[in-house]
Amino acid sequence: MPLHHIYSIMKHILPFFIIALLAILSACHRPVATTVNVSGQVAKSFIDRFPDPDSIHWVGQSNHFSWQAGYVMFAMEKMWHYTGDSTYYHYIRRYVDQQVGEDGAVPDFKPNALDNFLPGYAILFMYETTGKEKYKTAATHIMEAFAQYPRTSNGLFWHASEDWARGQVWVDGVFMGQIFLARYGKTVGNSDYAFGEVVKQITTMARICQKENGMLLHGWHEDKTASWADPETGLAPEVWSEGMGWVAVLLADVFDYLPVNQEGREEVMTILQKMCAGLKASQDPSTGLWCQVVDKPNEPGNWNETSGSGMFTYLLKKASDKGFIPQEEYAPVIEKAYQGLLTRTKVNEPGFIDLIDCSSIGVQNDYQAYITQPKEVSPFAAFGSYIIGTGICEFEK
C-alpha cells in the first residue's frame, strides 16, 4: 500500500483511537464500576486483599476464630449461593480447614464471648456441602459450650464471660450466637433446644431493648452499674447503627431455620415488622442510608453509617421478598438504600475497594460519644454488611 494511503487512513482513525484510549484511562480512576454487580466486585477485591482468611482479625489479635472472619464468611457464602462461583466456596473452605483439625478439634475456639461462636456458622456450611464428620464434630463442640455460658437472671447470654461484662447484654451478641445455633438446629439436630433458645434470646432481648419506634437500644446491663447504663432501667442510651444491624440480619435469616409451628415464632415476626417500620421512618431521604444513631437522623452531628445501612437494606429486601412486609410500600425504600450504598466505595492506591464512613465500637455513654466516633475506612464488619446488602438487591430480583 502506498505510504500516502497509509497516512490518510491513520489520520482518520487516530482521533478515534485517542478517544478510546482516554476513555479506558479514565475508567481506571472511577471509584467502582456500576455496570456489573458491585457486591461481587467488593467481595473479589476483599479476597485479593486478604487471600489468607486467617489475616481477618484486629491488629495484634492472635485468635483467628472470632466474629470478624465469621461474618466475612457469612457474606461470602451468600455470594456463592447467588453466583455459584467457586472462588467464594474455596475461600470459606480454606478458612474452616485452617481452624478445624481432622479429628474435629477447634483449638482456637474460646467460649468466653458470644463473638467467638459466629465462625461455627461457616463450619456448618462445610458440613452441609461435604458431609464430612469432622465438621459436625467441630460444630457440636461449639454448640455444647452454650451449656456453661453465663446468663442474666432472665436467661440472656452475657456479651462476654469476663468480669468486665458481668450481666451485660449487647444486642449484636444475639446475632453472633443465635445465627449459629439456628443453623445447628436445622443441620445437625438438638432442634428443640436450639430453636427454643434462639426464640428465647431474641424475644427476651427485644422486650427489654426494643423501643416503641421499633429500634433496638445498643445494650442492657442487669446490674445497672456500667458507665453507659441508665441507673433505673439498665438500658444503653442510644440505637447504634451496626449494633441493631446485627439483629436485623438475624431477623432476616432466622425464618430460614425456624419451623412454622415454633412457639414464639409470631413474636419474632412482630419484632421484625416493627423494626422494618422504624427503618422506613428513619431513612435519610437525601441519601437513602441510615445514621450512626439510627432513630435521630435530624439531630446535630449525626452521620450516615455504611455498615448498618448495608444490614438494614438486607433485612428490608429479604423481608419484602418473603412477604413479611408489603412489597409495594417498601420497594422505594430498598431501591433508595441500594443506590445510597453505591456511593460508599472508593478505590485506594493499591487498587483495592475501600468502604467509607463505617463504625465498629462498643456501647457508648451518650449521644455525643456515638456521633463523635471516628469515621472508619474498611473495618472488616463493613465488608460483610456491604456485600450482603448490595448482593441481595442485585441477585434477588
Side-chain angles (χ1 to χ4, degrees):
M1 181 181 293
L3 186 61
H4 68 280
H5 284 174
I6 296 174
Y7 174 78
S8 177
I9 293 171
M10 290 297 296
K11 183 173 69 173
H12 285 88
I13 68 171
L14 187 59
F16 297 100
F17 174 77
I18 293 172
I19 291 170
L21 180 61
L22 289 173
I24 293 170
L25 292 173
S26 175
C28 294
H29 293 86
R30 292 173 186 164
V32 177
T34 56
T35 54
V36 294
N37 70 82
V38 172
S39 56
Q41 292 182 68
V42 172
K44 291 289 183 66
S45 175
F46 184 93
I47 293 173
D48 290 343
R49 190 174 189 172
F50 303 100
D52 181 356
D54 271 359
S55 62
I56 305 172
H57 56 74
W58 295 124
V59 174
Q61 184 186 39
S62 59
N63 182 16
H64 305 133
F65 203 83
S66 188
W67 65 272
Q68 294 98 331
Y71 189 44
V72 170
M73 300 309 138
F74 178 89
M76 294 302 176
E77 183 187 334
K78 302 290 184 189
M79 293 303 299
W80 179 74
H81 283 297
Y82 291 146
T83 67
D85 188 332
S86 62
T87 302
Y88 304 116
Y89 183 87
H90 292 310
Y91 194 64
I92 300 168
R93 185 159 191 171
R94 177 177 178 181
Y95 173 71
V96 171
D97 284 345
Q98 289 175 178
Q99 315 308 315
V100 178
E102 287 303 314
D103 60 352
V106 191
D108 277 350
F109 171 58
K110 296 177 175 60
N112 59 358
L114 288 176
D115 290 348
N116 297 339
F117 285 80
L118 181 58
Y121 191 85
I123 294 174
L124 288 167
F125 169 63
M126 294 314 306
Y127 177 60
E128 290 172 5
T129 56
T130 69
K132 287 193 172 185
E133 196 69 17
K134 69 174 184 177
Y135 300 127
K136 179 180 177 181
T137 300
T140 299
H141 171 65
I142 295 168
M143 185 278 296
E144 290 173 344
F146 282 113
Q148 303 301 320
Y149 196 86
R151 301 170 182 256
T152 59
S153 61
N154 59 6
L156 290 174
F157 293 123
W158 296 1
H159 184 69
S161 62
E162 284 89 351
D163 284 343
W164 69 265
R166 179 177 296 275
Q168 291 190 27
V169 176
W170 298 12
V171 293
D172 38 309
V174 180
F175 167 80
M176 303 294 175
Q178 301 317 299
I179 194 66
F180 162 75
L181 196 54
R183 189 175 202 168
Y184 185 92
K186 185 173 182 178
T187 300
V188 178
N190 202 3
S191 57
D192 288 345
Y193 160 71
F195 296 142
E197 189 71 82
V198 168
V199 169
K200 176 181 179 178
Q201 295 295 318
I202 294 173
T203 56
T204 306
M205 173 275 301
R207 288 172 204 153
I208 297 170
C209 295
Q210 191 166 35
K211 301 170 67 174
E212 286 300 314
N213 62 10
M215 307 287 97
L216 292 173
L217 291 167
H218 193 172
W220 170 68
H221 190 206
E222 184 174 32
D223 298 343
K224 305 174 185 177
T225 57
S227 63
W228 48 262
D230 183 283
E232 294 184 4
T233 66
L235 288 166
E238 301 293 351
V239 178
W240 174 47
S241 173
E242 194 179 73
M244 190 176 82
W246 300 113
V247 182
V249 176
L250 174 61
L251 292 173
D253 280 11
V254 75
F255 293 99
D256 297 341
Y257 302 107
L258 292 181
V260 294
N261 61 347
Q262 175 64 44
E263 183 179 356
R265 191 179 191 274
E266 289 306 312
E267 185 176 352
V268 177
M269 181 66 73
T270 299
I271 294 165
L272 176 151
Q273 291 168 339
K274 284 182 64 177
M275 183 182 290
C276 290
L279 289 170
K280 180 175 179 288
S282 59
Q283 185 181 39
D284 181 351
S286 62
T287 65
L289 302 175
W290 285 270
C291 283
Q292 169 80 333
V293 176
V294 184
D295 57 348
K296 295 183 177 179
N298 300 315
E299 290 294 312
N302 214 350
W303 48 276
N304 294 141
E305 197 277 320
T306 299
S307 185
S309 294
M311 294 161 152
F312 301 146
T313 305
Y314 180 77
L315 168 63
L316 293 172
K317 182 66 167 68
K318 188 161 186 179
S320 173
D321 289 347
K322 285 184 166 290
F324 298 159
I325 56 177
Q327 290 187 350
E328 290 188 8
E329 178 182 342
Y330 281 88
V333 178
I334 296 163
E335 176 61 22
K336 185 174 290 186
Y338 172 70
Q339 294 299 328
L341 287 172
L342 297 183
T343 69
R344 316 314 286 173
T345 62
K346 66 178 182 179
V347 178
N348 61 26
E349 190 171 334
F352 299 118
I353 298 175
D354 274 330
L355 303 177
I356 61 171
D357 296 347
C358 308
S359 178
S360 292
I361 56 175
V363 186
Q364 303 296 304
N365 290 341
D366 52 36
Y367 174 79
Q368 283 299 319
Y370 278 99
I371 65 166
T372 55
Q373 293 297 314
K375 297 179 181 180
E376 299 174 48
V377 176
S378 297
F380 289 120
F383 284 100
S385 302
Y386 191 91
I387 290 165
I388 66 172
T390 54
I392 195 169
C393 293
E394 292 166 342
F395 291 101
E396 298 288 346
K397 300 299 185 182

